Amino acid sequence: MPHSRIAVTGSTGLIGAALVRSLRTDGHEVVRLVRHPARSGDEVEWDPKRGYVDVAGLVGCDAVVHLAGAGVGDHRWTEAYKREIRDSRVLGTAAIADAVASLDTPPKVLLSGSAIGYYGDTGDRAVDESAPPGDGFLPSVCVEWEAATAAAEEAGVRTVHARTGLVVAREGGAWGRLFPLFRAGLGGRLGNGRQYWSFIALHDHIAAMRHILDTPELSGAVNLTGPDPVTNGEVTAAMGRVLHRPTLFTAPAPALRIALGDFAEDVLGSQRVLPGRLLDAGFSFAFPGIDAAIHAALR
């Protein structure tokens, strides 16, 4: 998509900010959807809770990348915050899809965020995009989240659901919290450490999204995870190796449940998710292994 106009929601988040930098570096025009009146030419106002999008700002866009949503691990999972997690995704996605569908000339592609939480706890079983949704809160949210793009799909827009894994980065997300702990020598296993973590280096995540935008054959669900999921115990060992720190501490499962509430089940759950469709579409990972991904984050 040479020199395209691309709209991005969630542009201040970990992934959104990195994507905007990548696109602009390559000469693309990026407009950012913001939740206040537009203050510059690259801003478009929207309000996901009200279902409002300033549709005029999307005119001429070749692609829309929708990444906005409340952080899953930002707060304890009270019933109120679980509603916030769901509504921020489902209502926001429906607003974007409706806006895209209303355009006389809609964009070629809507790349909408989703998560590997779709699959629930898969234990030791490896799954790809052909697997059904799991049980529980996060799978149900992901199912509704992806269904909310229906208006764009019905308007003929190529729609991709980017099911993101754990992004290895210093700047935010799960790993943004892990790095300070491990650097201080306070890192260790979570629970028994046997649960699988499907990770992806931030560099590879951005490259994968760019690959999706540039690959017309890709639509529907696409897993954005590295090709070699590892256990939490293996992550712990790798962090110790790369940072040259001891990893003696363990957070027992009962303590995590007390501290995190319902969110603990997601932390302790196992998700062995493979990027089948990315690999089939010719994508090549720069940092496929856990040590390489951690080194990349430190650089």
Side-chain angles (χ1 to χ4, degrees), residues 157-180:
V157 176
R158 176 169 70 94
T159 301
V160 180
H161 305 290
R163 293 177 180 167
T164 295
L166 293 168
V167 179
V168 185
R170 282 182 304 173
E171 299 90 341
W175 248 273
R177 299 174 185 180
L178 290 180
F179 274 117

Side-chain angles (χ1 to χ4, degrees), residues 42-133:
D42 74 335
E43 292 186 344
V44 175
E45 184 181 2
W46 80 310
D47 184 335
K49 290 186 177 179
R50 289 196 296 119
Y52 169 74
V53 179
D54 182 0
V55 178
L58 301 183
V59 171
C61 283
D62 300 286
V64 174
V65 181
H66 173 48
L67 302 172
V72 171
D74 290 356
H75 299 278
R76 187 180 177 87
W77 279 10
T78 62
E79 289 304 313
Y81 195 66
K82 286 164 78 171
R83 282 195 301 274
E84 175 67 16
I85 289 171
R86 178 204 170 275
D87 290 351
S88 67
R89 285 160 173 74
V90 177
L91 300 181
T93 301
I96 293 296
D98 288 344
V100 163
S102 73
L103 294 167
D104 292 336
T105 304
K108 298 180 180 70
V109 56
L110 168 62
L111 175 53
S112 186
S114 185
I116 62 170
Y118 177 93
Y119 303 106
D121 190 333
T122 72
D124 293 337
R125 177 173 52 93
V127 298
D128 62 15
E129 292 88 351
S130 65

Side-chain angles (χ1 to χ4, degrees), residues 244-265:
H244 307 292
R245 293 290 187 272
T247 56
L248 304 177
F249 290 88
T250 299
L256 287 171
R257 291 187 176 98
I258 292 170
L260 302 178
D262 289 349
F263 181 49
E265 300 312 315

Side-chain angles (χ1 to χ4, degrees), residues 228-255:
D228 298 307
V230 292
T231 65
N232 173 257
E234 291 170 320
V235 168
T236 299
M239 290 287 280
R241 280 194 303 272
V242 174
L243 296 174
H244 307 292
R245 293 290 187 272
T247 56
L248 304 177
F249 290 88
T250 299

